[in-house]
């Protein structure tokens, strides 16, 4: 059976990923299908033989098998989403002894990247389709929304499933669901909106039907949303902070490590900057539950950025003259954020966060 | 207790029955393992809600003080002795997978015990070797773990950054201590150390890099410990490219003991020596010690200064101190782009002087030595660095060696 599957995959009759998963199950092993079909723009024949070697390795042979097993990610059988598992490492854990939100965001980015690669999109970090590359178009994030219900700790294994689909006429969206692999419980959800931009002119562009056809084949046929509920947080508009902001941290600069392969500030760095102006009393007593970021402008490696934060309901602080509870006592805290260029004052990002009280 | 729907939620792939039973059992854990001792050996019935009673014998690993959970179980020694009424879930499974469920139950119950101990990481041993969490090698001394380089760990030049590599070293050091069953409170402290409020602090680190891995390469990290003087410890690493076997880097570090509260250095207590002494390897350092003095840079001797560096929330560890790998990133902040673009960091020697926290404002100073008098492009470059607080207090002194980059097609 396994041999037949391999033959079919090599002959291009069935999808590589399906062959791999089916082969793994044939062996009846309790092993996550770890073979990824990474075409990486290498000729089909070579890809097929690499896959065959990989499929053979799923059975437990050492050598190439370990590399595939370590990555532990693959398309699910219907090919419409991608799953990968990650162990949380000690240096990814922050002051709360759990993974930081930057770590989570990095993993979301990683699994998105690996998904794109596994369906044959480019691996230059842009996940572009062939037509997009021809037209010098790239995807840029316009909104990122992450909700975390339970932060994983060091040594925990997180399984992330991701998929993408079209979003209206101008963009696409990518959704994620995070689960604790040991318990199967959902520990977080995320969604993001992307638009197309010309790499050279940096101008936004509508998604043409040509491009849409290229990637839609990998998307679920019917809409599948990680936030299916009505009026969910990922849809909320983010107002601009009232001037003056309650808290600020000025003059933040990108470090070398913040620059991605294309010398632009990594999306995840913005999350860190937004949180920089959070007051210590909230950081000490609360845990970030939700973050929504609207990306407006890019930041270059030599820009400096100001981070501003205000409590979302600061104006309603004292209602009817009754003394309100202190900020660090309240269960759920909401904040608005604004990132702007220190020099020009132009908006880079705006955001909203929700924080839940930590039980210590 | 269990239905097939939970299984399908966990894993939407139709599977063979053996796979079903394994995953089903993962959901079965609701019991509190009061009867586990802290070392994780199952002594008695795991729960009061009537699941099976099992005894398991963990395979002892050589040269380890104290007992711990081994990764293997001697399957024949497992007995089950449960009232039949409580076996409704298990009755649904074929017989042999019952045994399997028993094994995973034990591991998960043990895992639960770990979660009760504050911050200690849950140890999903039931995943076996599906996730490489590293293991102590046959000799009982060397710990080995493999890492796949993730996309966000790649620097601007398409290869893993030096920080990524140093992070791997840190992870293996902790996993080594954990595998040895010596994880007390606080990162890397053994139980005897935790009792005395002692922690290890690194004083010196030397790294020699031979090649930088790329995205999706797998690196194999070996690490071991040795004594350093009478009261210190040395930890060495040797990293290979898993596919080719070639050396990626070698590193050696020196650690001393410090009291967490008083922040004063401490001697190595006898009780701690008993805990870790059997792990000490009688080996020369993997890198010949570079005993050249590291000079202290000043504003007038530095060629480049980068001011206004501040720790972000994400830079802090559980003690709200800056993770010492972050220092390397800051040190490199004051290295001019011209060097970073044409040269590769081949060696680094660091002397850690002080730690810093969230409120520190730091400055990074660099001075470039003229290595070769004729300034030929193929020559290597040496730099001196200082990371200090605004007030002048030194955090780290460093020397770096740079080799011209190979002309590689990226």
């Amino acid at each position: 059976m396994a041999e037949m599957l391999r033959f079919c995959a090599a002959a291009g009759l069935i999808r590589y990923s399906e062959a791999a998963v089916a082969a793994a199950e044939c062996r009846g092993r309790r092993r996550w299908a770890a073979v990824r079909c990474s075409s990486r723009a290498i000729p089909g024949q070579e890809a097929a033989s690499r896959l065959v070697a990989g499929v053979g390795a799923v059975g437990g042979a050492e050598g190439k098998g370990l590399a595939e097993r370590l990555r532990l990610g693959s398309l699910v059988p219907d090919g419409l989403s991608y799953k990968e598992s990650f162990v949380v490492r000690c240096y990814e854990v922050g002051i709360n002894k759990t993974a930081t939100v930057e770590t989570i965001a990095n993993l979301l980015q990683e699994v998105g990247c690996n998904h794109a690669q596994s369906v044959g999109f480019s691996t230059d970090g842009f996940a572009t389709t062939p037509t997009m590359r021809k037209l010098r178009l790239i995807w840029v994030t316009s909104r990122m929304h992450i909700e975390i219900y339970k932060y994983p700790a060091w040594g925990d294994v997180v399984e992330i499933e991701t998929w993408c689909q079209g979003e209206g006429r101008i963009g696409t969206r990518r959704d994620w669901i995070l689960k604790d692999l040991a318990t199967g419980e959902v520990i977080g959800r995320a969604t993001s909106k992307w638009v197309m931009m010309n790499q050279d002119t940096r101008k936004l562009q509508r998604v043409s039907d040509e491009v849409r056809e290229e990637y839609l084949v990998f998307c679920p046929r019917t809409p599948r949303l990680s936030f299916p509920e009505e009026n969910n947080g990922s849809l909320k508009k983010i107002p601009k902070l009232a001037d003056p902001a309650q808290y600020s941290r000025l003059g933040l600069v990108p470090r070398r490590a913040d620059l991605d392969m294309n010398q632009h500030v990594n999306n995840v760095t913005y999350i860190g900057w937004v949180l920089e102006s959070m007051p210590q009393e909230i950081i000490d007593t609360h845990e970030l539950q939700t973050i929504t970021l609207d990306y407006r402008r890019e930041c270059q490696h030599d820009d400096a950025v100001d981070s501003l934060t205000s409590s979302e309901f600061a104006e309603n602080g004292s209602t009817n003259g009754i003394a309100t509870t202190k900020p660090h006592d309240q269960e759920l805290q909401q904040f608005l954020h604004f990132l702007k260029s220190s020099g020009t004052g132009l908006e880079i990002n705006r955001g909203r966060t929700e924080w839940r009280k930590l039980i210590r | 207790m269990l239905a097939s729907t939970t299984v399908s939620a966990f894993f939407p792939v139709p599977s063979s029955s053996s796979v079903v039973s394994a995953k089903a059992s993962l959901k079965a854990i609701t019991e509190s393992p009061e009867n586990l001792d802290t070392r994780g050996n199952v002594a008695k019935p795991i729960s009061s809600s009537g699941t099976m009673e099992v005894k398991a014998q963990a395979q002892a690993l050589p040269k380890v003080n104290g007992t711990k959970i081994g990764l293997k179980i001697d399957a024949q020694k497992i007995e089950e002795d449960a009232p039949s009424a409580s076996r409704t879930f298990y009755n649904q499974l074929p017989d042999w997978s019952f045994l399997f469920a028993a094994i995973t139950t034990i591991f998960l119950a043990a895992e639960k015990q770990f979660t009760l101990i504050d911050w200690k990481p849950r140890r999903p041993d039931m995943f076996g070797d599906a996730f490489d969490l590293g293991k102590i090698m046959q000799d009982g001394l060397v710990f080995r773990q493999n890492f796949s380089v993730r996309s966000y760990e790649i620097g601007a030049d398409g290869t893993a950054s030096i920080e990524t590599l140093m992070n791997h070293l840190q992870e293996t050091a902790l996993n080594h201590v954990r595998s040895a069953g010596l994880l007390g409170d606080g990162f890397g402290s053994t139980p005897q150390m935790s009792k005395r409020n002692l922690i290890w602090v690194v004083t010196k680190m030397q790294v020699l890099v031979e090649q930088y891995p790329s995205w999706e390469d797998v690196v194999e990290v070996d690490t071991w410990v040795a004594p350093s003087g009478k009261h210190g410890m040395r930890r060495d690493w040797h990293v290979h490219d898993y596919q080719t076997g070639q050396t990626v880097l070698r590193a050696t570090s020196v650690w001393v003991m410090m009291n967490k509260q008083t922040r004063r250095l401490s001697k190595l207590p006898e009780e701690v020596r008993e805990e870790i002494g059997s792990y000490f390897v009688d080996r020369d350092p993997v890198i010949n010690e570079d005993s050249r003095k590291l000079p202290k840079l000043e504003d007038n001797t530095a060629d480049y200064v980068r001011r206004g560096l501040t720790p972000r929330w994400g830079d802090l560890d559980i003690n709200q101190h800056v993770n010492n790998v972050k220092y390397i990133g800051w040190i490199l902040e004051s290295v001019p782009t011209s060097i970073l673009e044409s040269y590769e960091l081949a060696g680094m020697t660091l002397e850690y002087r002080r730690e810093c926290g969230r409120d520190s404002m730091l400055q990074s100073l660099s001075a470039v030595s003229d290595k070769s008098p004729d300034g030929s492009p193929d020559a290597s470059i040496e730099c001196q660095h200082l990371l200090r607080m605004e007030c002048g207090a030194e955090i780290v002194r460093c020397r770096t060696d740079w080799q011209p980059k190979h002309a590689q097609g990226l």
Side-chain angles (χ1 to χ4, degrees):
Chain A
M1 176 63 170
E3 274 68 32
M4 189 178 82
L5 286 169
R6 271 186 236 159
F7 175 76
C8 288
L13 293 175
I14 59 178
R15 279 209 212 151
Y16 298 156
S17 56
E18 289 161 1
V21 173
E25 287 157 26
C26 279
R27 291 175 173 77
R29 290 203 183 211
R30 179 181 58 92
R31 215 185 263 284
W32 283 259
V35 176
R36 301 178 44 216
C37 89
S38 50
S39 47
R40 280 215 227 188
I42 49 180
Q45 178 123 19
E46 199 183 334
S49 56
R50 274 184 55 160
L51 176 80
V52 166
V55 167
V58 169
E62 292 307 309
K64 277 198 196 133
L66 176 63
E68 269 81 30
R69 277 192 294 133
L70 274 179
R71 271 174 263 136
L72 292 157
S74 65
L75 289 170
V76 303
D78 64 8
L80 300 178
S81 69
Y82 179 86
K83 265 192 197 170
E84 190 165 352
S85 299
F86 302 90
V87 184
V88 175
R89 298 182 185 157
C90 67
Y91 52 88
E92 296 173 327
V93 160
I95 57 177
N96 290 332
K97 303 164 188 177
T98 52
T100 60
V101 63
E102 284 104 323
T103 297
I104 304 278
N106 274 327
L107 293 178
L108 297 183
Q109 199 156 280
E110 168 81 358
V111 77
C113 220
N114 290 340
H115 179 199
Q117 193 215 28
S118 72
V119 299
F121 289 172
S122 78
T123 58
D124 55 5
F126 284 137
T128 49
T129 68
T131 305
M132 286 174 72
R133 280 197 289 284
K134 242 178 30 195
L135 301 172
R136 305 283 295 161
L137 297 170
I138 54 173
W139 293 114
V140 288
T141 324
S142 67
R143 171 175 273 218
M144 184 76 170
H145 177 88
I146 304 175
E147 284 181 20
I148 308 192
Y149 312 115
K150 183 158 182 239
Y151 281 85
W154 174 36
D156 282 354
V157 182
V158 179
E159 182 194 71
I160 305 182
E161 185 184 359
T162 185
W163 63 95
C164 59
Q165 52 206 325
E167 171 87 358
R169 312 229 47 182
I170 58 157
T172 184
R173 65 183 287 157
R174 178 174 281 287
D175 288 57
W176 296 265
I177 292 192
L178 296 88
K179 288 189 184 164
D180 181 332
L181 192 59
T183 63
E185 81 181 279
V186 173
I187 57 170
R189 296 184 288 170
T191 181
S192 58
K193 284 214 279 258
W194 301 72
V195 293
M196 250 179 15
M197 178 174 84
N198 185 298
Q199 199 170 9
D200 308 311
T201 67
R202 315 308 287 181
K203 283 182 123 62
L204 296 183
Q205 207 140 327
R206 278 207 9 205
V207 181
S208 69
D209 291 331
E210 216 178 349
V211 170
R212 199 190 303 280
E213 289 310 305
E214 277 175 323
Y215 69 78
L216 272 187
V217 65
F218 300 108
C219 304
R221 304 285 177 261
T222 52
R224 181 187 172 193
L225 305 174
S226 54
F227 295 93
E229 61 270 26
E230 295 232 340
N231 297 322
N232 64 75
S234 71
L235 302 171
K236 279 195 196 152
K237 237 173 106 62
I238 301 177
K240 187 171 171 180
L241 273 187
D243 210 11
Q246 273 179 296
Y247 313 99
S248 64
R249 191 98 173 196
L250 309 177
L252 300 169
V253 278
R255 300 174 191 166
R256 296 253 159 68
D258 298 327
L259 304 177
D260 62 18
M261 293 191 263
N262 307 291
Q263 301 286 338
H264 289 122
V265 173
N266 191 320
N267 278 346
V268 175
T269 303
Y270 294 112
I271 295 178
W273 281 341
V274 155
L275 300 181
E276 273 303 294
S277 51
M278 282 296 300
Q280 176 99 32
E281 54 181 16
I282 300 293
I283 300 269
D284 285 343
T285 54
H286 288 66
E287 192 174 55
L288 181 65
Q289 172 163 290
T290 304
I291 177 164
T292 315
L293 269 189
D294 279 338
Y295 294 82
R296 300 288 170 109
R297 254 180 213 84
E298 305 176 276
C299 183
Q300 307 297 337
H301 60 93
D302 46 10
D303 284 341
V305 155
D306 292 340
S307 170
L308 308 172
T309 294
S310 287
S311 177
E312 185 163 14
F313 303 113
E315 306 85 64
N316 311 332
S318 50
T319 48
N320 305 324
I322 300 164
T324 51
T325 48
K326 287 180 161 235
H328 58 262
D329 282 338
Q330 286 172 22
E331 281 303 315
L332 200 65
Q333 292 276 327
Q334 282 147 318
F335 291 87
L336 291 174
H337 305 273
F338 197 74
L339 273 187
K340 64 179 170 75
S341 163
S342 302
T344 63
L346 291 173
E347 177 178 348
I348 296 185
N349 282 359
R350 61 172 66 176
R352 171 196 271 118
T353 52
E354 282 177 9
W355 301 73
R356 59 172 176 262
K357 197 147 191 331
L358 275 170
I359 305 155
R360 287 223 191 266
Chain B
M1 204 201 306
L2 252 259
S4 57
T5 49
T6 51
V7 174
S8 57
F10 181 68
F11 229 62
V13 177
S15 330
S16 63
S17 63
S18 63
V19 184
V20 167
S21 63
K23 288 164 205 154
S25 65
L26 293 181
K27 286 285 241 171
I29 305 309
T30 50
E31 306 75 21
S32 69
E34 306 102 328
N35 296 317
L36 286 177
D37 66 51
T38 52
R39 296 295 189 169
N41 284 320
V42 178
K44 287 194 193 120
I46 292 167
S47 84
S48 51
S49 69
T51 50
M52 47 188 289
E53 174 183 330
V54 288
K55 289 182 200 141
Q57 190 127 27
Q59 207 175 58
L61 291 185
K63 283 199 176 195
V64 176
N65 294 328
T67 52
K68 53 189 241 249
I69 296 184
L71 291 176
K72 295 200 173 95
I73 271 202
D74 190 344
Q76 279 126 17
K77 297 226 176 104
I78 294 184
E79 303 158 343
E80 31 91 7
D81 185 18
S84 54
S86 66
R87 286 182 55 176
T88 37
F89 155 57
Y90 294 106
N91 282 337
Q92 293 165 16
L93 305 175
D95 266 332
W96 61 269
S97 57
F98 184 13
L99 192 65
F100 197 89
I103 297 171
T104 37
T105 305
I106 294 159
F107 279 130
L108 285 159
E111 178 210 333
K112 261 226 144 187
Q113 175 65 4
F114 274 139
T115 68
L116 296 180
I117 304 171
D118 201 27
W119 71 276
K120 270 207 204 136
R122 278 177 274 163
R123 187 83 164 92
D125 282 343
M126 76 283 233
F127 297 118
D129 51 359
F131 296 93
D132 194 320
L133 299 163
K135 58 180 186 287
I136 297 184
M137 305 301 287
Q138 285 300 100
D139 61 359
L141 299 168
V142 174
F143 178 84
R144 174 173 289 177
Q145 185 172 1
N146 298 310
F147 295 89
S148 172
V149 179
R150 297 175 182 165
S151 65
Y152 58 87
E153 295 174 327
I154 300 296
D157 59 1
T159 56
S161 59
I162 182 71
E163 289 179 56
T164 296
L165 298 176
M166 302 293 290
N167 278 330
H168 291 163
L169 303 190
Q170 190 175 74
E171 175 79 355
T172 51
L174 279 174
N175 283 335
H176 185 188
V177 177
R178 181 171 68 177
S179 279
L182 288 174
L183 205 57
D185 223 1
F187 261 7
S189 295
T190 64
Q192 288 296 327
M193 285 171 68
S194 303
K195 263 169 59 172
R196 294 167 173 75
N197 275 320
L198 295 173
I199 52 174
W200 286 117
V201 285
V202 59
T203 54
K204 189 163 178 184
M205 172 85 83
Q206 247 181 281
V207 184
L208 284 179
V209 184
E210 294 184 29
Q211 52 177 280
Y212 283 87
S214 312
W215 181 24
E216 295 190 318
D217 281 352
V218 177
V219 294
E220 180 180 80
V221 181
D222 284 349
T223 183
W224 59 94
V225 290
S228 172
K230 268 205 86 184
H231 297 290
M233 179 175 76
R234 194 183 86 228
R235 179 175 277 285
D236 286 1
W237 293 267
H238 196 149
V239 182
H240 297 93
D241 179 314
Y242 186 84
Q243 308 276 59
T244 65
Q246 290 177 341
T247 293
V248 166
L249 70 80
R250 286 172 292 143
T252 180
S253 58
V254 176
W255 301 73
V256 296
M257 206 153 261
M258 182 169 86
N259 185 301
K260 185 156 70 165
Q261 321 281 16
T262 66
R263 316 307 291 183
R264 292 173 71 100
L265 297 183
S266 156
K267 293 193 178 163
L268 188 67
E270 260 319 297
E271 293 85 346
V272 177
R273 196 185 293 281
E274 272 164 25
E275 276 178 323
I276 63 177
S278 56
Y279 284 90
F280 281 169
V281 175
D282 186 14
R283 245 195 245 192
D284 286 336
V286 73
I287 303 177
N288 285 331
E289 198 197 333
D290 181 352
S291 48
R292 290 176 288 167
K293 253 181 84 80
L294 292 182
K296 179 175 177 177
L297 287 182
E298 305 284 350
D299 280 295
N300 54 358
T301 51
D303 296 320
Y304 308 96
V305 180
R306 176 73 187 259
R307 291 177 220 277
L309 300 168
T310 50
R312 301 176 190 161
W313 288 119
D315 297 333
L316 305 180
D317 64 18
I318 57 175
N319 302 309
Q320 296 221 15
H321 291 127
V322 176
N323 184 322
N324 60 46
V325 173
K326 295 287 177 191
Y327 296 144
I328 295 169
W330 284 327
I331 285 169
L332 298 180
E333 281 294 313
S334 59
V335 174
T337 324
S338 53
I339 292 185
L340 294 172
E341 279 172 354
S342 323
Y343 291 82
E344 210 167 58
L345 183 63
M348 198 167 55
T349 304
L350 298 127
E351 270 175 26
Y352 293 88
R353 304 262 167 152
R354 239 179 227 90
E355 52 200 350
C356 71
R358 159 94 172 140
D359 297 323
S360 315
M361 177 84 86
L362 303 170
Q363 299 172 340
S364 172
L365 290 78
S366 291
V368 183
S369 315
D370 297 318
K371 194 86 186 228
S372 63
D374 55 8
S376 74
D378 291 331
S380 56
I381 288 185
E382 186 189 280
C383 296
Q384 317 286 348
H385 308 272
L386 176 67
L387 189 66
R388 67 175 186 208
M389 299 203 225
E390 244 182 350
C391 58
E394 291 182 57
I395 311 277
V396 188
R397 281 193 204 180
C398 178
R399 171 193 298 113
T400 50
D401 293 296
W402 303 78
Q403 300 284 342
K405 271 189 186 163
H406 311 286
Q408 275 175 11
L410 284 177

